[in-house]
Amino acid sequence: MADTIAETVDLLYTIDQEKLSTDQQIALGAALATLAQAERLDQINDRLSTIQQLLTNWAHRSTADGVR
């Protein structure tokens, strides 16, 4: 997902804003803001996945230690 976001941002930055109408400039700004939000959500998702993996490992260790 991060590659798609980065590629889309790169594409949007190649747009010559001076040739856009006011409505198009507003739409471009909204698109950039939405992509920034998507990128942040992707980062949060990665961190939550790491936390979930750690908790799963701890749970397995606790179970294994309890069985001994």
Side-chain angles (χ1 to χ4, degrees), residues 3-59:
D3 289 340
T4 303
I5 293 170
E7 290 169 4
T8 305
V9 169
D10 288 343
L11 178 64
L12 288 174
Y13 277 116
T14 63
I15 295 172
D16 185 0
Q17 294 182 29
E18 292 180 14
K19 294 183 178 181
L20 299 179
S21 69
T22 302
D23 288 342
Q24 289 171 325
Q25 290 177 357
I26 292 169
L28 177 61
L32 289 169
T34 300
L35 284 169
Q37 184 179 26
E39 184 176 20
R40 182 68 183 133
L41 290 173
D42 191 46
Q43 292 170 351
I44 291 169
N45 185 51
D46 287 345
R47 288 184 182 172
L48 288 174
S49 293
T50 301
I51 291 168
Q52 189 253 347
Q53 190 175 38
L54 287 171
L55 292 173
T56 300
N57 289 339
W58 288 342

